[in-house]
């Protein structure tokens, strides 16, 4: 019974273990202020994880989300400040454009059969290019309206608002994956696209929607990032895609589908990455060492996770490789 | 002929192989003499491929001994060792590398080198390839990329590759499956020449006329056992077929089945259906409550036809009528019209191996347990449960991962996902391939019950007893064309096999 329980919640156990170790190392770790800081620092990645997770679930990947978040910020700033479109229209327009870009990527991947890794890697570059072009490579300061600035700066119950946005998106994504036909179909397509097609599931449509979802959350993350940093800048989102993918994989959703996927797992993965950085800061490890330690911890966490997974019904996948 | 050990190239003693307790080869004794064409025949699943895999070290044997050229072979060994021994294999599935040229493929892994360097001598490779091509008079360009060649030409490259190795034993598994008549003739001449040169050939084919023309001796396998070894003068297509099926037809009439057309409304009609290169001019109709058997050898176009009807593959001309109305098949529409489709390749196309039983069963039923895109979990559970009970899947646990089920239970899962819908037509391709006897019977009764309820069944099977027993009518395909229809008569497996093999 206990091994089974451990098995099901192993990620949570690993996370708690990390927290325990960190709280022993530093008494400052387990304070509301510190935990709130950690969650705040991961909220952008967390928001992006909630939508980007559907590309690996449907056996693809989306590496364009970082650049798309930056582009969204730049577009939003242009619409609102340069064109004076007003807050809500600017937000809606930005989201619509981002979703269209995701839709086009999805179409290229499913209809023209370009590997998702290639197309989204290219997109990472060209979207960054467009953001640079529009912003002329400059930072665009955003100081108002106050309602928008409150997103990044305000607090509820003592916690920064971006944390709540992240929690809402994670919950919505969890519901989408576990309680809707789309989630069921996405897992099925990831498990076996041929069987899915023969069962009447439109695999191409399901995969295309996955890229719209990742684009959607990239846009949201881009907007929140604008509000937090009080500026739009083409370089702001660079590298976020790798943090997002790391969190997803760390959370137990394998790249390449296979019928697996867990949004809460991905959230735990995101928090783990946050804990590592936070722990290093609390221990006063010089920041030049952070990437090395982060990399090593991620590798060991993955190795541990993979080993645990082999105990369950996933030996098959191993055997196929 | 004296059976001096020197005459014998390959000798197998007590060779036994089983997978997960399923015996696929039982205590097989065989030998291949130097300079003979030795054919290996048997129905699908008789153990031919397994025997080849054991000789070539791909699959380890559980028991017994295989001697090659006087030395005992290890239980399993790498491909390079096979080549060193002097065994060349021409597999049914091509092992060529698409992006490389003919010459590069022929000399893959044994490229001529520039002097003492490790660099490839391209010029020499091409001239060497040219020499071999000329020697055997093949219509090939050594510089052509494999991609640009027809399947038949690719097969020729595969054969050339084997020939270029100067082997002592050549194993050919259905080498003519993708060759045209002229290319086949070329191959037969080569085989006869090789025999003159003292090369042994192990020849596997479903085509009786080839076996008859080429063989010096024939080994017949059935259900993993060697049932006969025939010498040249004993070989006749009839003899081989009755040995393959396994009963002496004159002794009992047990295997004779009576076909009787089921009268009922026509539910499906196919007229002059064609698909580029795969099949042409296929016309038949299916009545409600009828089981229509489709017979044909692998590659006869039987799977392609049902895939086209179901809407997976495109149709180039001809029409499909459902309930009298013409339709353009798409998978979605077929499902909404009440089609069920159980594909040939259960593991790759029938089930989601990594998903549990309930998710598998419910994968065809989203319309029935979702509302506004949201899953009604109670409805989902009810569908899964009814599916599990309908075909008695074991274990009954809906959360059990399908990949861990036995083959028979996996097939039941595939059936269940269609049975929970109201079917009008069930297309079922090789319903019991690799399934144990008990589960087979259960699947037969499921198919029969469906027919009794008025569902039209299109049944494809290589298992002839199964096909003749279940079908009300049988059509026979060969090379993409319908060549015979059996109806309202008594029929034996032998007649069907003869028709499929082109021996009418």
């Amino acid at each position: 019974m206990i091994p089974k329980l451990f098995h099901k919640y192993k990620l949570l156990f690993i996370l708690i273990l990390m927290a325990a170790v960190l709280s022993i190392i530093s008494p400052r770790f387990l304070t509301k202020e510190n935990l709130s800081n950690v969650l705040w620092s991961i909220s952008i990645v967390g928001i992006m994880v909630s939508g980007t997770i559907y590309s690996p679930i449907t056996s693809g990947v989306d590496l364009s989300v970082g650049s798309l978040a930056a582009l969204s910020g730049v577009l939003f700033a242009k619409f609102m400040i340069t064109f004076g479109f007003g807050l809500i229209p600017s937000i809606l327009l930005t989201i619509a454009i981002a979703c269209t870009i995701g839709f086009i990527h999805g179409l290229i991947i499913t209809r023209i059969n370009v590997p998702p890794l290639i197309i989204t890697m290219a997109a990472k570059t060209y979207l960054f290019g467009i953001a640079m072009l529009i912003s002329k490579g400059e930072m665009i300061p955003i100081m108002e309206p106050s309602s928008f600035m409150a997103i990044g700066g305000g607090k509820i119950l003592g916690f920064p608002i971006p944390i709540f946005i992240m929690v809402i998106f994670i919950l919505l994504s969890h519901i989408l994956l576990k309680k809707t036909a789309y989630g069921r179909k996405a897992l099925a397509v990831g498990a076996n696209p041929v069987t899915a097609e023969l069962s009447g599931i439109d695999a191409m449509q399901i995969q295309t929607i996955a890229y719209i979802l990742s684009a959607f959350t990239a846009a949201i993350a881009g907007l929140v990032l604008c509000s937090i940093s009080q500026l739009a800048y083409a370089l702001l989102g660079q590298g976020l895609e790798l943090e997002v993918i790391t969190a997803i994989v760390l959370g137990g959703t394998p790249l390449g589908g296979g019928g697996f996927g867990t949004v809460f797992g991905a959230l735990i993965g995101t928090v783990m990455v946050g804990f590592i950085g936070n722990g290093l800061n609390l221990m006063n490890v010089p920041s030049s060492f952070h990437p090395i330690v982060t990399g090593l911890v991620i590798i060991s966490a993955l190795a541990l996770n993979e080993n645990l997974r082999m105990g369950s019904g996933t030996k098959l996948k191993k055997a196929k490789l | 002929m004296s059976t001096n050990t020197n005459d014998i190239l390959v000798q197998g003693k007590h060779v036994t192989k089983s997978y997960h307790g399923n015996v696929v080869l039982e205590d097989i004794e065989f030998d291949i003499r130097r300079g003979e064409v030795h054919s290996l025949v048997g129905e699908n699943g008789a153990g031919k491929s397994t025997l080849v895999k054991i000789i070539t070290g791909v699959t380890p044997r559980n028991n017994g001994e295989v001697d090659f050229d006087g030395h005992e072979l290890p239980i399993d060994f790498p491909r390079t060792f096979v080549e060193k021994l002097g065994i060349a294999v021409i597999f049914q599935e091509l092992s060529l590398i698409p992006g490389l040229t003919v010459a590069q493929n022929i000399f893959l892994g044994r490229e001529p080198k520039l002097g003492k360097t490790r660099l490839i001598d391209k010029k020499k490779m091409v001239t060497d390839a040219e020499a071999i091509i000329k020697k055997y008079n093949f219509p090939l360009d050594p510089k052509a990329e494999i991609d640009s060649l027809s399947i038949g030409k690719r097969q020729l490259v595969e054969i050339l590759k084997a020939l270029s190795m100067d082997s002592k034993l050549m194993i050919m598994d259905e080498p003519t499956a993708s060759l045209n008549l002229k290319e086949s003739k070329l191959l037969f001449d080569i085989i006869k020449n090789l025999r003159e040169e003292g090369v042994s050939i192990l020849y596997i084919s479903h085509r009786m006329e080839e076996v008859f023309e080429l063989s010096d001796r024939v080994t017949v396998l059935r259900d993993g056992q060697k049932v006969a070894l025939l010498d040249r003068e004993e070989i006749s297509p009839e003899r081989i077929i009755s040995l393959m099926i396994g009963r002496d037809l004159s002794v009992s009439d047990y295997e004779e089945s009576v076909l009787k057309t089921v009268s009922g409304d026509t539910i499906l009609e196919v007229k002059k259906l064609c698909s580029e290169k795969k099949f042409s001019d296929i016309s038949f109709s299916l009545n409600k409550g009828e089981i229509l058997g489709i017979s044909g050898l692998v590659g006869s176009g039987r799977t392609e036809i049902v895939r086209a009807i179901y809407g997976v593959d495109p149709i180039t001309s001809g029409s499909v009528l459902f309930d009298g109305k013409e339709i353009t098949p798409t998978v979605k529409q077929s499902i909404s019209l009440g089609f069920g489709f159980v594909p040939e390749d259960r593991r790759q196309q029938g089930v989601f191996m990594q998903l549990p039983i309930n998710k598998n069963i419910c994968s065809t039923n989203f319309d029935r347990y979702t509302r506004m895109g949201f899953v009604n979990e109670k409805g989902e559970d009810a569908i899964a449960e009814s599916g599990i009970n309908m075909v008695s899947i074991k274990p009954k646990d809906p959360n059990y991962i399908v990949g861990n089920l036995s083959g028979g239970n996996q097939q039941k899962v595939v059936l269940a996902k269609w049975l929970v819908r109201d079917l009008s037509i069930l297309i079922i391709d090789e319903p019991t391939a690799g399934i144990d006897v008990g589960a087979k019977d259960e699947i037969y009764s499921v198919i029969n019950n469906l027919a009794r309820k008025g569902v039209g069944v299109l049944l494809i099977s290589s298992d002839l007893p199964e096909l003749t027993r279940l079908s009300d009518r049988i059509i026979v395909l060969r090379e993409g064309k319908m060549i015979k229809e059996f109806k309202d008569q008594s029929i034996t497996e032998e007649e069907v096999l003869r028709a499929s093999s082109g021996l009418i």
Side-chain angles (χ1 to χ4, degrees), chain A residues 75-115:
Chain A
L75 283 174
F76 166 73
K78 270 283 158 192
F79 290 145
M80 193 174 68
I81 298 166
T82 315
F83 300 148
F85 281 175
L87 178 65
I88 302 294
S90 301
I91 289 176
L92 293 180
L93 201 55
T94 302
I95 292 173
I97 290 172
C99 289
T100 309
I101 291 169
F103 176 57
I104 293 167
H105 292 163
L107 284 186
I108 294 172
I109 288 161
T110 56
R111 311 285 148 161
I112 312 180
N113 237 336
V114 184

Side-chain angles (χ1 to χ4, degrees), chain B residues 30-179:
Chain B
F30 68 94
D31 63 83
I32 303 169
R33 292 178 189 150
R34 288 175 202 278
E36 76 163 345
V37 177
H38 192 128
S39 287
L40 194 56
V41 299
E43 291 186 277
N44 292 338
K48 293 170 302 202
S49 313
T50 311
L51 190 55
V52 170
K53 283 181 184 162
I54 285 174
I55 297 173
T56 53
V58 177
T59 306
R61 57 185 184 270
N62 297 126
N63 224 330
E65 185 184 325
V66 180
D67 294 339
F68 183 84
D69 212 2
H71 304 284
E72 188 181 341
L73 292 179
I75 284 187
D76 54 353
F77 40 89
R79 187 147 185 182
T80 46
F81 183 67
V82 179
E83 284 169 9
K84 224 175 271 171
L85 282 172
I87 303 177
V89 193
I90 301 168
F91 281 110
Q92 224 171 322
E93 305 99 43
L94 302 178
S95 60
L96 302 175
I97 299 180
L100 298 183
T101 65
V102 170
Q104 284 169 328
N105 266 290
I106 292 175
F107 292 107
L108 195 70
R110 348 170 247 134
E111 293 87 353
K113 300 294 188 314
L114 271 174
K116 284 188 175 171
T117 66
R118 310 206 66 176
L119 301 171
I120 294 170
D121 187 345
K122 271 195 185 164
K123 261 196 195 141
K124 188 169 180 333
M125 192 161 74
V126 173
T127 46
D128 284 2
E130 246 160 13
I132 298 172
I133 291 171
K134 208 168 257 164
K135 180 177 169 194
Y136 294 104
N137 205 12
F138 278 14
L140 286 172
D141 171 10
K143 288 181 194 160
E145 275 192 19
I146 297 299
D147 281 331
S148 65
L149 301 179
S150 69
I151 301 286
K153 289 249 170 80
R154 289 182 201 187
Q155 184 75 57
L156 291 181
V157 177
E158 190 85 44
I159 292 166
L160 261 190
K161 189 175 163 184
L163 288 171
S164 73
M165 292 179 192
D166 295 324
S167 315
K168 292 178 192 151
L169 171 67
M170 287 189 73
I171 301 175
M172 303 187 181
D173 192 352
E174 298 278 355
T176 57
S178 48
L179 297 184

Side-chain angles (χ1 to χ4, degrees), chain B residues 480-496:
Chain B
K481 294 199 171 60
M482 239 178 91
I483 52 164
K484 188 147 180 67
E485 178 176 3
F486 293 104
K487 62 174 184 182
D488 297 314
Q489 65 180 89
S490 54
I491 191 179
T492 61
E493 295 151 28
E494 190 190 4
E495 285 173 280
V496 179

